[in-house]
Amino acid sequence: MSEIETKEIQKLLQTMKTLRGENGCEWDRKQTHLTIRQNMLEEAYEAVDAINSNDIKHLKEELGDVLLQVVLHSQIADDNGCFNFEDVARGINEKLIHRHPHVFSNVKVKNVDEILQNWDALKKEEKPHRKSVLDGISKAQSPLMTAEKLSKKAVKQGFEWPDEKSLIECVKSEFREFIHAKTNEDKEMEFGDILFALVNLARWHKLDAEQCLIKSNKKFETRFRKMEEIAQDTEKSLNELSFEEWDNLWKQAKKETEGEY
């Protein structure tokens, strides 16, 4: 790293140390790992929003907010005598070097598949306490992300549909089971099976189910806002519209917002 980059990092660390210090900010001093845990998720998702919007200027700002969370958590840990930012940086650097022997050692690889195989093997070597291939999946991430990770880990062991046709039939069967479910509890379980099957369908096509849903949410929001805008020219309030009127509004909004998401 350049001298300027190093100085900026040191200035950031010193700023956080001051904020957490005796004469610092009362709010910063009161924070714990638990009180700010949600902030980490929120800042990460805002960074993803910037990426999805291809807003590079905004991305720079959001990455700074993500880094702030790392620095704050590191300072809290340092104050408690656990670890500091240097320990965090050292740990991830050592991990990167260890898991890229084809770059930092003399291991030869033919393609990306071999790189990923080496990564998984080295990761398993680093974590001998894990007994199942499903161990290590975060319990704090979204259910869609968990479903995708569970599926991918199982597939690596050979637990996979033989073809897309059988996978689509599985999706259809889950819908049938939901329709025939008798109790709310059964419906809840069957609906979860539908979602899990759909996540696998997305994975089969190399799609990220979470990102697919994010885009659909954005599309729906854009179209609904347009419907509200169009409806202002009528004398009826939205909650007074018939299904046919809603349908016409939707079609008009869809036409006028094509390509906006």
Side-chain angles (χ1 to χ4, degrees):
M1 297 180 69
S2 70
E3 184 178 344
I4 294 177
E5 290 172 321
T6 303
K7 283 184 177 179
E8 290 302 324
I9 292 175
Q10 290 303 319
K11 284 167 62 178
L12 174 58
L13 295 176
Q14 184 57 53
T15 297
M16 183 54 66
K17 188 172 184 178
T18 301
L19 288 171
R20 289 274 300 175
E22 184 177 351
N23 298 315
C25 171
E26 183 178 355
W27 183 89
D28 288 279
R29 293 179 61 192
K30 290 173 62 176
Q31 300 315 304
T32 68
H33 294 304
L34 288 175
T35 61
I36 60 171
R37 59 185 171 180
Q38 188 64 26
N39 297 32
M40 181 73 81
L41 289 172
E42 291 173 359
E43 299 300 354
Y45 274 114
E46 287 180 14
V48 172
D49 282 342
I51 293 172
N52 288 341
S53 301
N54 195 29
D55 189 338
I56 301 304
K57 182 179 179 180
H58 190 205
L59 177 59
K60 181 182 72 171
E61 177 186 350
E62 296 304 336
L63 289 177
D65 290 340
V66 173
L67 178 58
L68 168 61
Q69 299 307 308
V70 177
V71 170
L72 179 50
H73 276 286
S74 298
Q75 187 60 53
I76 291 171
D78 193 11
D79 293 339
N80 294 331
C82 300
F83 60 82
N84 58 27
F85 182 83
E86 185 177 350
D87 296 323
V88 173
R90 182 187 303 109
I92 189 60
N93 188 50
E94 290 175 352
K95 181 187 292 185
L96 285 172
I97 292 173
H98 182 240
R99 293 191 187 177
H100 290 84
H102 57 289
V103 176
F104 299 102
S105 188
N106 56 3
V107 172
K108 303 297 182 183
V109 293
K110 296 178 182 178
N111 49 45
V112 172
D113 288 339
E114 287 193 5
I115 292 174
L116 295 177
Q117 289 171 10
N118 285 344
W119 179 281
D120 288 338
L122 292 167
K123 184 176 181 180
K124 186 176 181 180
E125 174 188 303
E126 294 168 0
K127 304 179 186 295
H129 58 283
R130 293 182 179 176
K131 303 304 179 184
S132 169
V133 295
L134 302 181
D135 288 344
I137 296 178
S138 172
K139 294 178 175 59
Q141 64 189 5
S142 73
L144 278 180
M145 292 176 67
T146 298
E148 184 172 3
K149 286 201 171 185
L150 286 170
S151 176
K152 285 183 175 180
K153 284 179 175 286
V155 166
K156 285 183 179 180
Q157 305 304 308
F159 190 69
E160 175 68 294
W161 281 268
D163 49 47
E164 185 182 12
K165 182 179 179 181
S166 60
L167 174 52
I168 292 177
E169 180 52 40
C170 173
V171 174
K172 291 179 179 179
S173 70
E174 298 298 352
F175 273 99
R176 288 193 293 270
E177 289 180 19
F178 174 78
I179 292 171
H180 293 103
K182 302 298 183 183
T183 67
N184 283 338
E185 185 178 358
D186 288 341
K187 289 179 180 179
E188 186 179 65
M189 291 298 298
E190 297 303 339
F191 190 75
D193 290 343
I194 290 173
L195 293 176
F196 192 85
L198 289 173
V199 167
N200 275 278
L201 183 59
R203 175 190 55 76
W204 185 275
H205 287 277
K206 294 181 171 55
L207 299 173
D208 184 317
E210 180 114 347
Q211 291 303 313
C212 290
L213 186 55
I214 287 173
K215 290 180 179 180
S216 287
N217 287 343
K218 183 178 180 181
K219 179 168 63 176
F220 178 84
E221 182 179 354
T222 299
R223 289 180 181 176
F224 195 87
R225 288 179 183 275
K226 177 57 69 171
M227 285 197 300
E228 290 178 316
E229 183 183 315
I230 296 171
Q232 287 180 352
D233 296 331
T234 69
E235 296 182 358
K236 287 186 177 181
S237 62
L238 288 173
N239 57 13
E240 294 176 337
L241 299 180
S242 66
F243 174 80
E244 289 74 16
E245 290 171 318
W246 270 116
D247 190 46
N248 289 332
L249 263 183
W250 177 262
K251 290 175 181 176
Q252 186 178 347
K254 179 178 179 181
K255 183 177 180 180
E256 293 188 20
T257 59
E258 202 70 40
E260 288 188 20
Y261 32 81

